[in-house]
Amino acid sequence: MAALFDDVAAEGAMRPILGMEEPYHYRNKVVSPYAPGRRLSDGAERGRGGARDMRSASGRGRAGVKGHDRRRGRAEAPRREVLCGMYASGSHRIVPTDGCLIENEEAKRIIRAIRDLMGRFGLTPYDEDAHAGFLRHAVVRVGHESGEVLVTLVTNGREFPASRAFCRELVRRCPAVTTIVQNVNERRTNVILGQREQRLYGPGFILDTLCGLSFRISSQSFYQVNAVQTEVLYETAVFLAGLTGVERVIDAYCGTGTIGLVAAKRGAAQVTGVDTVASAIRDARENARHNGVENARFVVGDAGDFMRGLSRVGERADVLLMDPPRAGASEAFLEAAAELAPARIVYISCNPETQVRDLRFLKGRGYAVRVVQPVDMFPHTDHIETVALLTRDGSAEGSSRGDVGADVASSELGPGDAAKRPACGQDQARSVGVDVSKASSPHAGNESGGGRG
């Protein structure tokens, strides 16, 4: 990791990885495909809860349902074993798994319960080669703090006979379930979710708490799968942003507004979140309203275009928070960021290789990389997220914030400390190896708040 950042980061910028104290069953989002397996004898089929003569609980067997017998008015139970679990690496071969050491145990239990109910309600598993069958995937999301559970059933068709009875039985077996949504995906595609949805049970979303704020999570919402380490990640990013109550912040790729709202609550004067996904912006606005955050606004649009628009009219931003997808930021976005010239950029990345590429670009536009803080978001895998702090090279702001990158008390970060969740203020500063006495005033020598025009 250190070697990867050698040619872009200042000396001493790399911090020890922040690990997780209890790195098991942390994934709060569990996805499973359903597919036909081996043929079953009558006895074996009945033993799986799939008696052939069992009628659909609706008693009607509506027409137009893939995987249902429309002539007899009753469900046609699968004649094959129903497989669920994970895809083998680099393939679409399902490896049946009843448990996993990194997946939420309640979510996994719900995945199995859905499998066991399919035969009873005549829901055939999806065969991707034949593009036939009804149930393609289940996506289960569990609120880390709230314990609320959202189940999304991805179907190859909209008509869902006995959906009410199916939901009642699933909730009876798994009382933790608070809402169930049907997502319709009739395309031949590897993409899991389709565009059309309907609520089958409950409100259609769940709420969860992150960094002291409550967030609304729907089936299409982006929400980090490891809530414990997400708090470590976001607290670190907000600390490195150096917010003192006067900064104007842009949250690019803002999604549902998680990190922007944390920044709004933790010292930003104004936060503007920008994302191209309209549904995510709707959720972000609802999250702001729900949490009583009045100093944050959210805009549908391209963040690069938004920053260029600000530059054209002479507007400035003090801090840019950016959390792009794995492919990293586009060159057009990075050019727009350099044109706007915020005093500090906090770059969160799930792909250090594309992050280094982007940091190299920004370095060529007058920025210096002061801190690189890796966070182990996905224990027991080779994936890691990194937070990088960039400042304008040679500026007064860069010099004052340069203390964050230059004065590293690495001895303060022993193996135990690296695994602790950072808190706000001085404790958090120490968790990323920062000299608190020098970092306590991010605007030292520049009280105007980043020199905005």
Side-chain angles (χ1 to χ4, degrees):
M1 177 66 69
L4 183 63
F5 286 85
D6 263 354
D7 68 330
V8 296
E11 184 178 355
M14 180 62 66
R15 301 290 190 266
I17 296 172
L18 296 176
M20 189 175 184
E21 287 184 345
E22 297 292 335
Y24 300 102
H25 302 297
Y26 59 82
R27 288 189 64 91
N28 55 40
K29 176 183 177 182
V30 177
V31 182
S32 176
Y34 294 92
R38 62 183 175 85
R39 292 184 180 277
L40 295 174
S41 64
D42 284 354
E45 193 171 324
R46 288 190 179 95
R48 301 283 295 184
R52 290 187 180 183
D53 63 348
M54 180 167 287
R55 294 183 176 274
S56 166
S58 69
R60 292 192 294 273
R62 299 175 205 163
V65 183
K66 299 171 185 174
H68 288 78
D69 189 329
R70 292 173 289 176
R71 295 167 299 174
R72 294 177 296 173
R74 63 187 180 188
E76 181 184 354
R79 294 185 180 134
R80 291 179 179 272
E81 177 185 20
V82 177
L83 299 179
C84 67
M86 306 176 186
Y87 288 123
S89 179
S91 77
H92 273 217
R93 177 176 63 85
I94 294 178
V95 178
T97 53
D98 281 347
C100 176
L101 286 174
I102 67 172
E103 292 183 330
N104 180 279
E105 293 175 285
E106 180 63 30
K108 201 67 176 177
R109 189 165 77 88
I110 293 166
I111 294 290
R112 297 195 304 269
I114 292 169
R115 176 199 63 192
D116 294 344
L117 288 173
M118 288 174 66
R120 174 175 172 179
F121 290 92
L123 307 182
T124 54
Y126 179 68
D127 183 335
E128 65 177 354
D129 293 327
H131 191 49
F134 184 64
L135 188 60
R136 298 174 68 131
H137 289 85
V139 183
V140 182
R141 308 182 83 157
V142 182
H144 172 69
E145 293 286 344
S146 68
E148 296 181 8
V149 177
L150 163 64
V151 177
T152 302
L153 303 172
V154 184
T155 61
N156 184 36
R158 183 165 184 172
E159 291 294 327
F160 192 161
S163 61
R164 290 184 180 178
F166 178 88
C167 291
R168 279 198 301 269
E169 182 60 20
L170 181 60
V171 173
R172 187 188 72 79
R173 293 191 181 199
C174 305
V177 173
T178 51
T179 189
I180 304 172
V181 170
Q182 180 190 3
N183 178 279
V184 181
N185 186 355
E186 297 177 286
R187 297 174 295 163
R188 285 183 177 269
T189 178
N190 292 333
V191 177
I192 293 175
L193 296 178
Q195 296 301 312
R196 291 184 298 162
E197 290 190 349
Q198 57 183 357
R199 179 171 53 85
L200 301 179
Y201 171 81
F205 61 88
I206 61 174
L207 298 175
D208 196 26
T209 301
L210 190 70
C211 296
L213 296 171
S214 177
F215 291 98
R216 172 173 168 159
I217 306 164
S218 61
S219 63
Q220 303 274 0
S221 300
F222 173 78
Y223 194 71
Q224 292 276 11
V225 299
N226 186 341
V228 172
Q229 290 297 91
T230 297
E231 290 197 332
V232 174
L233 185 77
Y234 287 178
E235 298 275 13
T236 299
V238 170
F239 169 76
L240 291 177
L243 304 176
T244 63
V246 297
E247 292 82 9
R248 288 187 291 185
V249 177
I250 293 176
D251 179 14
Y253 311 95
C254 70
T256 58
T258 47
I259 190 167
L261 291 173
V262 174
K265 280 286 195 180
R266 302 286 175 84
Q270 177 69 43
V271 173
T272 302
V274 188
D275 202 293
T276 57
V277 181
S279 61
I281 292 297
R282 284 196 298 271
D283 282 347
R285 290 168 179 165
E286 176 59 27
N287 286 330
R289 186 199 63 78
H290 178 71
N291 285 284
V293 177
E294 297 181 350
N295 59 328
R297 66 186 182 114
F298 296 93
V299 178
V300 178
D302 179 84
D305 292 342
F306 181 82
M307 289 189 291
R308 276 187 291 274
L310 291 181
S311 298
R312 280 195 296 268
V313 298
E315 291 286 338
R316 312 306 301 169
D318 304 299
V319 177
L320 170 63
L321 301 172
M322 55 183 290
D323 187 1
R326 288 191 61 81
S330 67
E331 189 169 307
F333 174 92
L334 297 171
E335 285 283 13
E339 181 182 340
L340 186 63
R344 297 186 293 285
I345 298 176
V346 178
Y347 186 151
I348 303 172
S349 174
C350 59
N351 185 346
E353 291 185 352
T354 56
Q355 184 183 33
V356 165
R357 179 201 66 200
D358 295 347
L359 296 180
R360 187 175 293 113
F361 183 97
L362 291 169
K363 186 177 179 181
R365 297 299 188 275
Y367 281 91
V369 180
R370 305 292 184 180
V371 174
V372 178
Q373 176 62 69
V375 178
D376 188 5
M377 289 287 293
F378 312 106
H380 308 293
T381 77
D382 57 1
H383 298 290
I384 199 161
E385 298 222 2
T386 45
V387 187
L389 168 67
L390 300 91
T391 62
R392 295 290 297 175
D393 200 14
S395 69
E397 189 69 30
S399 298
S400 66
R401 274 311 271 189
D403 293 332
V404 175
D407 294 316
V408 185
S410 57
S411 61
E412 296 177 11
L413 262 177
D417 294 331
K420 293 179 181 176
R421 165 182 163 182
C424 290
Q426 296 190 350
D427 289 339
Q428 182 184 341
R430 293 189 182 95
S431 75
V432 293
V434 175
D435 186 326
V436 180
S437 63
K438 295 190 177 185
S440 59
S441 178
H443 285 287
N446 186 2
E447 295 298 326
S448 63
R452 59 175 88 126

